Every structure is written in C-alpha cells, then in structure tokens.
C-alpha cells in the first residue's frame, strides 16, 4: 500500500512538471522584425525652422513576448540604410546623408549602427500630446550612438495579433548627450547651427518565429 501511494505521488509530480513545462514554453514567444516594412522616421531642425527628414531601416531578431506581453527586445538601425526624403533632388539627398554618416555626426565608418535595448516596459495612460495616438505602454531602454549608451523612454502603441506584432512610438533625443556636438553652438548664425534635438518616429512590424 505504501509503495503504491509513493508511486501515485511520483506520477502526479511528474505530470505536474510536464504540464508546467509545456505551459511555460508556449507562453514565451519570439518575434523577428520585418525589415522591409519597419522604419524609423527622423527629422532634424535648423535654427531658422527649416528641417531635413528621412528614414532609416530597422532589423531585429529579438522581441520576446510572454503571456501576451512584450518583456524584452532590442533592435539596430544600420546607418547605411539612411535616406533623405525632403530635399528636391538626388544629389542633395546624397550630400546630406553622406554628411550625416560622416564623423561630424554618426561616424558610420566606426559605428555602423545605432542600437536600442529595452530595459523595461510599464502600462501608460498619460496624455502627452507628442505621443502616438493610442499609446498604452511606456518603453524604457538604452540607446547606443557613437559608442555611448544613454537611457531613453517613450510612450508606445503595441498591438499583438496572433502571429504578428506592431510597435509604434515617438521620441525626441538630444544628440549632444551622445557627444554629437557638430554645429551645436546656439550663438552661431542660422546656417551654421543645427538644433540638438532629433525627432524619431519608430514603426516596427514583426512576425512570430515558428519553432
């Protein structure tokens, strides 16, 4: 009788362990960003109010969802994918992009990508007029530019739909925090001063990685 009772208890423990393992494996899912659809739109401003704008692509194999919630993720923005959208011809577009890729700004030769690593995510119910419509999460993370990491946070709208995920958020960063100080002397004439803040509009689209 005692042996039978011990065997029953052992079977129950083993079944419970197997069920627990099965649930945990199913609750954690990995997503890969679709680089053909995902972009970060950027916009920088001159002293007189003029601006330049464009896009840079995004790549990532690391977006982790557990129990229906994003819990971790990172992505990079290859500087070679940067393009300008607002200037009137290809020559001017290439000129501004090459300058942004140079040592005056992002120094692509030494630092080929900008990297973001998420460090936290909480619910968001704020009323920031600069946030994307429908933002329901506040994402925090480390942004690496020119070999320096600094923390940023921004409201984001995250949608999980079976096999797909989308993340949209807006943030304005002060480039001088990352020692990007070219043309940042506010006392300079209009044409020689570029405002330190860069507006970024993140648009990520991904799919679940199948086992």
């Amino acid at each position: 009788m005692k042996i039978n009772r011990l065997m029953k208890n052992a079977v129950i423990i083993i079944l419970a362990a197997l069920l627990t393992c099965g649930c945990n494996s199913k609750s954690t899912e990995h997503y890969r960003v679709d680089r053909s659809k995902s972009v970060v739109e950027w916009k920088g401003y001159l002293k007189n109010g003029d601006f330049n704008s464009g896009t840079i692509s995004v790549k990532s194999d690391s977006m982790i969802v557990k129990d229906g919630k994003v819990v971790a993720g990172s992505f990079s923005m290859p500087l070679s994918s940067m393009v300008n959208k607002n200037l009137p011809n290809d020559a001017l577009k290439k000129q501004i992009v090459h300058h942004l890729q140079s040592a005056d700004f992002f120094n692509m030769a030494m630092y080929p990508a900008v990297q973001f690593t998420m460090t936290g995510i909480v619910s968001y119910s704020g009323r920031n007029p600069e946030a994307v419509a429908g933002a329901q999460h506040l994402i925090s993370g480390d942004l690496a530019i020119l070999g320096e990491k600094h923390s940023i946070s921004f409201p984001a709208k995250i949608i999980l739909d079976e096999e797909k995920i989308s993340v949209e958020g807006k943030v304005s960063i002060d480039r001088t925090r990352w020692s990007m100080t070219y043309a940042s002397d506010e006392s300079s004439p209009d044409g020689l001063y570029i405002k330190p803040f860069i507006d970024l509009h993140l648009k990520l689209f991904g799919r679940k990685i199948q086992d």
Side-chain angles (χ1 to χ4, degrees):
M1 293 288 293
K2 188 174 182 181
I3 293 174
N4 288 340
R5 192 179 302 114
L6 289 173
M7 289 181 65
K8 284 183 179 180
N9 289 339
V11 170
I12 291 171
I13 291 170
I14 292 170
L15 286 173
L18 289 172
L19 289 171
T20 302
C21 291
C23 290
N24 286 342
S25 64
K26 290 181 180 179
S27 65
T28 301
E29 300 166 328
H30 295 256
Y31 288 76
R32 177 179 292 121
V33 167
D34 185 342
R35 189 173 176 180
S36 67
K37 297 179 180 178
S38 302
V39 297
V40 172
E41 298 174 351
W42 56 265
K43 194 173 186 179
Y45 303 86
L46 299 175
K47 188 174 185 178
N48 63 3
D50 290 343
F51 66 88
N52 280 299
S53 61
T55 62
I56 185 169
S57 67
V58 183
K59 64 177 184 178
S60 173
D61 291 332
S62 177
M63 293 181 68
I64 301 172
V65 173
K66 187 172 184 179
D67 298 327
K69 297 180 180 179
V70 177
V71 295
S74 65
F75 60 85
S76 63
M77 294 167 272
L79 292 167
S80 59
S81 68
M82 182 183 291
V83 297
N84 172 273
K85 294 288 190 179
N86 70 293
L87 292 176
N89 59 63
D90 288 344
L92 289 174
K93 289 178 179 179
K94 289 179 180 179
Q95 182 179 351
I96 187 66
V97 167
H98 289 163
H99 194 193
L100 291 171
Q101 292 170 338
S102 76
D104 284 342
F105 289 97
F106 289 94
N107 198 357
M108 183 176 73
M110 187 170 291
Y111 306 101
V114 171
Q115 183 78 28
F116 178 80
T117 303
M118 195 176 83
T119 56
I121 180 169
V122 295
S123 297
Y124 173 81
S125 58
R127 295 292 183 268
N128 183 350
E130 304 298 323
V132 296
Q136 79 279 53
H137 295 88
L138 185 70
I139 295 176
S140 300
D142 293 327
L143 184 66
I145 303 173
L146 295 175
E148 297 184 27
K149 285 184 181 180
H150 294 288
S151 61
I152 63 171
S153 60
F154 56 92
K157 179 181 180 180
I158 300 176
I159 299 175
L160 277 167
D161 181 15
E162 296 182 354
E163 307 294 311
K164 298 180 291 184
I165 186 172
S166 67
V167 181
E168 182 182 9
K170 290 181 179 180
V171 62
S172 184
I173 63 169
D174 180 350
R175 61 187 173 92
T176 62
R177 288 182 66 199
W178 289 265
S179 302
M180 192 185 296
T181 57
Y182 177 84
S184 61
D185 183 356
E186 194 170 0
S187 65
S188 300
D190 285 1
L192 299 178
Y193 172 69
I194 301 171
K195 292 183 178 181
F197 286 94
I198 304 171
D199 291 341
L200 303 175
H201 187 171
L202 173 70
K203 298 177 180 180
L204 294 184
F205 300 92
R207 287 189 175 275
K208 187 167 68 174
I209 300 173
Q210 301 298 330
D211 296 332

